[in-house]
């Protein structure tokens, strides 16, 4: 009883601290001073408890913000539910009078979900919950024998891996990590021996070695060159699977994890922002950072100072989930309203599962921080100053070198962090703006999920007389950077532009491209030189910029903004520019909210018969 009273007092104190703290609104600069563990206990566990009660009451008819959860075709949902509700059970003290009722509710919900359609990650999540309950001595009380027999049959790696050759069934190769985890957890539950998990572990590590190369970051494709947040996160996930299933993390994995942690710190900031490029961002761009840094702290691959400030950054990320991403009015995370947009994969039809998976990630990363010695520690108050001292103003991190170069440039200036991800989006993503080689920075420059090339953010787009549309988005070579004082130059070349319109990038050799970025305090300049191999009839050359700034006026080819971080946008090499409010239109929504102004510049009906230089300059504050 005493322990229960102490826990209540701790939660009350944390809640009062949070009530007094300013809301992040996605752009907080004041530090989140409440320790992470207290935020989790006072804010996140109650969210899970609310969902637990809602599921127990509404069962298969449960709705969240008007969405019928079990009719949304979320094939991971049963596992996500088990993982989330498992956290509530494990966080309920043995002397808590609510515990018997929670066990009864979990048992009923397990009966409901055991036979539902559940795939890959959902299988893993469900098994993880069962194993955690087994270790706590609660499995027999939480799941009936009959339901456990159903789960033993359905929660199986063989549902998505062939036997006896152990090949994935129509899945990307990173799913070997999921298959290994499933087999390993089945072994720990006593459902099979270790032979399958050993084989799948070997498959997983071979995949990582094959597609990460000497730089240690995993290509999401079979060599096309798509490097995303997941390419950086994957080694952390592998280490997490080792930890949770009792395997020692190898020295080689720790070496690769260190590279991921170094990159995460280069991208760190005091605004609680995570990754700003690629798909499925929103809060997942932030939980990816949490995973990388929490497991790095737990495995001691960070220095003592890095550990303290990585924890402070992680604290900002968790606080931002509460203050920005979670909407108490609907009792849910909100990635779809208030002008926000995510990709179809994480559409609102998955709203219940997204709550459970995000809360799971926030809670288990907090547990790693607790085990790393940071439980209830107050974060540092000088994160921005430490980042300015410890992290380079400009860095170039290599993913791959060969026929094409793949790399990430990071520029830090005035509290902003710009991420220029120079990759090939590959099949399904090459024409979407989150994969363009642009200096993304939340609230300054953003891509739009599933955008296609219709409004090619900040990339000149050629529409030729034959109807072809060409972008300089996929086939980068000879990436190199130089420095002149506080000015940094980055250059690359493309022998082929990407002919868009199909699922995969298609090389078009009619125009060559040389690109130079110049980064300096308060200003980014992109200069493109387009050289035709033979004279080409061009119907239109266009350039668009969707900006979070507002109050725009245009004079010639310069746009001035009255409000927002971008102050001016200046273009040369095109004939005319115009600007208009977006009025919240769908093409101009981003993960953090709607862009406010749309600039469009163009030249029409001309012959490209000599090198053409197109330049844009963004001045910001």
């Amino acid at each position: 009883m005493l322990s229960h009273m102490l826990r209540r007092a701790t939660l009350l104190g944390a809640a009062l601290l949070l009530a007094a703290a300013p809301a992040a609104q996605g752009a907080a600069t004041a530090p989140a001073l409440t320790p992470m563990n207290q935020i989790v206990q006072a804010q996140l566990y109650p969210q899970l408890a609310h969902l637990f009660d809602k599921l127990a009451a509404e069962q298969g008819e449960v709705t969240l913000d008007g969405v019928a959860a079990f009719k949304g075709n979320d094939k991971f949902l049963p596992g996500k539910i088990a993982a989330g509700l498992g956290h509530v059970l494990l966080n309920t003290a043995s002397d808590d009078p609510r515990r018997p009722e929670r066990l009864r509710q979990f048992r009923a919900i397990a009966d409901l979900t055991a036979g539902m359609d559940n795939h890959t990650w959902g299988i893993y999540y469900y098994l993880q919950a069962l194993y955690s309950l087994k270790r706590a001595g609660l499995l027999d009380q939480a799941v009936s024998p009959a339901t456990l027999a159903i789960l033993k049959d359905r929660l199986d790696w063989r549902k998505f891996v062939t036997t006896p050759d152990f090949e994935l069934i129509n899945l990307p190769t990173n799913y070997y990590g999921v298959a290994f985890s499933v087999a390993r957890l089945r072994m720990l539950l006593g459902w099979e021996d270790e032979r399958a998990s050993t084989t799948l572990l070997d498959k997983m590590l071979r995949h990582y070695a094959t597609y990460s190369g000497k730089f240690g970051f995993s290509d999401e494709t079979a060599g096309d060159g798509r490097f995303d947040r997941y390419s950086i996160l994957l080694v952390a996930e592998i280490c997490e699977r080792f930890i949770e299933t009792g395997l020692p993390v190898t020295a080689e994995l720790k070496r690769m994890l260190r590279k991921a942690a170094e990159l995460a710190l280069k991208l760190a900031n005091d605004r609680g922002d995570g990754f700003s490029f690629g798909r499925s961002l929103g809060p997942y761009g932030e939980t990816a950072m949490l995973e990388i840094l929490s497991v790095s702290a737990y495995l001691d691959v960070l220095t003592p100072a890095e550990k303290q400030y990585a924890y402070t950054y992680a604290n900002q990320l968790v606080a931002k989930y509460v203050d920005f991403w979670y909407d108490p009015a609907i009792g849910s995370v909100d990635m779809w309203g208030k002008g926000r947009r995510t990709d179809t994969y994480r559409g609102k039809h998955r709203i219940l599962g997204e709550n459970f998976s995000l809360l799971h990630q926030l809670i288990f990363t907090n547990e790693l921080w607790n085990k790393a010695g940071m439980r209830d520690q107050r974060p540092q108050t000088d994160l921005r100053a430490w980042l300015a001292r410890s992290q380079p103003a400009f860095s170039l991190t290599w993913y791959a070198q060969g026929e094409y170069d793949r790399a990430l440039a990071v520029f830090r200036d005035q509290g902003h962090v710009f991420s220029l991800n120079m990759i090939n989006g590959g099949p399904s993503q090459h024409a979407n703006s989150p994969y363009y080689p642009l200096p993304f920075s939340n609230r300054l420059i953003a891509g739009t999920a599933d955008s296609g090339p219709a409004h090619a953010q900040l990339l000149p787009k050629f529409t030729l007389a034959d109807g072809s549309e060409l972008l300089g988005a996929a086939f980068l070579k000879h990436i190199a950077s130089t420095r002149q004082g506080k000015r940094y130059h980055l250059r690359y070349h493309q022998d082929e532009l990407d002919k868009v319109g199909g699922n995969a990038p298609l090389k078009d050799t009619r125009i060559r491209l040389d690109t130079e970025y110049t980064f300096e305090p308060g200003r980014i300049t992109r200069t493109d030189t387009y050289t035709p191999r033979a004279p080409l009839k061009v119907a239109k050359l266009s350039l668009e910029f969707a900006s979070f700034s507002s109050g725009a006026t245009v004079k010639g080819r310069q746009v001035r903004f009255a409000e927002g971080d971008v102050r001016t946008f200046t273009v040369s090499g095109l004939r005319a520019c115009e600007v208009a409010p977006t009025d919240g239109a769908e093409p101009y929504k981003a993960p953090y909210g709607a862009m406010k102004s749309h600039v469009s510049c163009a030249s029409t009906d001309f012959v490209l018969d000599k090198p053409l230089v197109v330049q844009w300059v963004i001045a910001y504050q």
Side-chain angles (χ1 to χ4, degrees):
M1 182 62 69
L2 179 60
S3 65
H4 179 62
M5 292 174 64
L6 288 172
R7 181 181 293 106
R8 289 286 298 274
T10 299
L11 297 185
L12 179 59
L16 290 172
L17 280 168
L18 284 166
Q25 295 303 315
T29 55
L33 298 178
T34 306
M36 181 191 301
N37 188 58
Q38 293 177 24
I39 298 174
V40 169
Q41 293 291 337
Q43 297 287 326
L44 301 189
Y45 273 111
Q47 291 179 27
L48 274 179
H50 167 73
L51 294 172
F52 204 147
D53 292 335
K54 191 172 179 63
L55 264 169
E58 300 177 23
Q59 295 282 303
E61 301 304 314
V62 67
T63 63
L64 193 57
D65 198 28
V67 176
F70 288 113
K71 298 178 182 178
N73 196 31
D74 184 347
K75 296 183 178 181
F76 308 147
L77 182 58
K80 291 177 178 179
I81 290 172
L85 303 190
H87 282 303
V88 178
L89 265 184
L90 295 170
N91 198 54
T92 305
S94 59
D95 60 353
D96 191 318
R98 297 170 296 179
R99 191 171 187 181
E101 177 63 9
R102 285 295 188 211
L103 285 164
R104 186 197 66 77
Q105 290 174 326
F106 191 98
R107 195 180 181 101
I109 293 169
D111 291 343
L112 172 71
T113 60
M116 290 182 174
D117 199 25
N118 190 26
H119 294 237
T120 58
W121 278 105
I123 293 172
Y124 159 71
Y125 282 132
Y126 218 129
L127 285 168
Q128 185 188 52
L130 296 180
Y131 179 56
S132 296
L133 292 171
K134 179 181 179 179
R135 285 191 299 171
L138 296 174
L139 183 58
D140 291 341
Q141 300 172 68
V143 183
S144 70
T147 295
L148 197 61
I150 294 171
L151 292 170
K152 181 179 178 180
D153 175 67
R154 295 182 67 88
L155 303 179
D156 198 328
W157 54 269
R158 280 161 281 243
K159 302 295 183 182
F160 57 99
V161 177
T162 62
T163 56
D165 52 354
F166 290 87
E167 296 295 330
L168 291 165
I169 302 173
N170 298 323
L171 289 169
T173 48
N174 61 287
Y175 272 79
Y176 275 120
V178 183
F180 155 72
S181 301
V182 169
R184 178 77 178 169
L185 288 166
R186 285 178 61 87
M187 185 271 289
L188 291 169
L189 284 164
W191 293 355
E192 63 180 75
D193 61 31
E194 66 180 3
R195 286 176 293 179
S197 64
T198 300
T199 300
L200 288 165
L201 173 61
D202 181 66
K203 285 271 192 177
M204 175 180 71
L205 294 178
R206 285 177 182 271
H207 155 72
Y208 196 90
T210 299
Y211 294 111
S212 66
K214 66 179 181 178
F215 299 107
F217 301 103
S218 182
D219 190 341
E220 281 199 318
T221 62
D224 289 326
R226 184 166 76 207
F227 293 87
D228 201 345
R229 66 176 175 86
Y230 200 75
S231 304
I232 304 162
L233 170 63
L234 184 57
V235 66
E237 285 194 348
I238 293 172
C239 291
E240 290 165 1
R241 302 296 89 82
F242 275 54
I243 293 166
E244 71 190 11
T245 61
L247 289 173
V249 178
T250 66
E252 178 63 12
L253 284 174
K254 288 182 181 180
R255 183 189 68 80
M256 291 189 289
L257 178 62
R258 172 66 196 178
K259 293 173 72 79
E262 288 174 350
L263 186 48
L265 289 174
K266 289 175 182 176
L267 293 166
N269 57 84
D270 66 344
R271 296 168 177 252
D273 292 342
F275 289 99
S276 58
F277 52 84
R279 70 190 185 282
S280 294
L281 291 177
Y284 286 96
E286 290 154 16
T287 57
M289 289 292 190
L290 284 171
E291 290 193 58
I292 293 166
L293 292 173
S294 63
V295 73
S296 297
Y298 176 82
L299 292 173
D300 289 324
V301 305
L302 301 177
T303 68
E306 287 173 339
K307 183 176 177 179
Q308 288 291 329
Y309 286 98
Y311 168 74
T312 297
Y313 171 44
N315 215 80
Q316 292 287 93
L317 296 167
V318 174
K320 182 176 166 189
Y321 182 82
V322 173
D323 294 333
F324 181 75
W325 291 113
Y326 182 74
D327 185 350
I330 62 174
S332 170
V333 66
D334 187 3
M335 296 185 280
W336 312 278
K338 302 176 184 177
R340 302 170 193 169
R341 176 174 172 171
T342 186
D343 55 1
T344 303
Y345 175 73
R346 296 199 189 278
K348 195 173 181 179
H349 64 284
R350 290 176 49 164
I351 184 171
L352 182 61
E354 298 307 317
N355 277 272
F356 278 122
S357 61
L358 284 164
L359 288 168
H360 167 67
Q361 290 178 24
L362 292 162
I363 286 170
F364 87 73
T365 54
N366 175 62
E367 290 171 354
L368 283 173
W369 281 112
N370 290 345
K371 292 174 182 177
M374 305 302 290
R375 181 189 297 270
D376 295 326
Q377 285 207 23
R378 194 174 178 87
Q380 303 296 312
T381 59
D382 60 340
L383 176 60
R384 179 178 287 197
W386 181 82
L387 289 169
R389 293 194 308 270
S390 65
Q391 303 305 311
F394 179 88
S395 62
L396 185 63
T397 299
W398 286 97
Y399 297 136
Q401 292 174 326
E403 180 183 6
Y404 300 103
D405 286 346
R406 311 298 177 195
L408 172 66
V410 177
F411 177 59
R412 307 180 62 89
D413 179 43
Q414 304 177 53
H416 301 291
V417 181
F418 297 91
S419 303
L420 174 54
N421 203 34
M422 294 167 283
I423 59 161
N424 181 341
S428 79
Q429 295 294 339
H430 68 106
N432 291 333
S433 57
Y435 289 85
Y436 293 170
L438 300 177
F440 294 114
S441 182
N442 293 336
R443 293 166 296 276
L444 273 171
I445 300 172
T448 301
D450 300 333
S451 64
H455 300 282
Q457 175 80 309
L458 286 172
L459 279 194
K461 181 175 72 173
F462 282 87
T463 302
L464 302 183
D466 66 3
S468 302
E469 291 187 330
L470 309 182
L471 289 174
F475 305 109
L476 285 66
K477 297 180 176 180
H478 311 314
I479 296 173
S481 64
T482 57
R483 176 182 179 180
Q484 295 175 312
K486 293 185 177 181
R487 181 178 294 171
Y488 300 88
H489 300 272
L490 184 138
R491 302 174 181 87
Y492 57 81
H493 173 77
Q494 296 184 69
D495 286 322
E496 311 96 356
L497 299 188
D498 179 5
K499 184 178 180 181
V500 298
N503 181 58
L506 181 63
K507 296 178 183 179
D508 192 300
T509 63
R510 288 177 284 183
I511 302 174
R512 298 190 299 270
L513 170 59
D514 289 285
T515 297
E516 178 178 0
Y517 275 102
T518 302
F519 298 91
E520 55 192 309
R523 186 182 300 268
I524 297 174
T525 303
R526 174 177 168 129
T527 306
D528 287 327
T529 303
Y530 293 93
T531 304
R533 295 181 184 272
L536 275 175
K537 290 183 178 180
V538 179
K540 186 177 184 179
L541 174 58
S542 60
L543 175 66
E544 302 186 36
F545 175 39
S547 173
F548 295 97
S549 293
S550 61
T553 56
V554 62
K555 183 177 181 180
R557 289 167 293 181
Q558 182 179 76
V559 179
R560 291 187 175 274
F561 299 95
E563 301 289 338
D565 286 340
V566 174
R567 306 308 296 158
T568 62
F569 178 65
T570 307
V571 174
S572 62
L574 296 174
R575 291 174 185 164
C577 295
E578 58 186 30
V579 63
T582 66
D583 296 325
E586 196 68 21
Y588 310 112
K589 292 180 179 178
Y592 282 81
M595 305 169 194
K596 297 178 180 179
S597 303
H598 175 231
V599 182
S600 57
C601 306
S603 295
T604 58
D605 298 322
F606 66 96
V607 175
L608 181 66
D609 57 2
K610 60 185 177 181
L612 172 65
V613 177
V614 177
Q615 182 182 85
W616 57 253
V617 182
I618 290 177
Y620 58 88
Q621 61 183 10

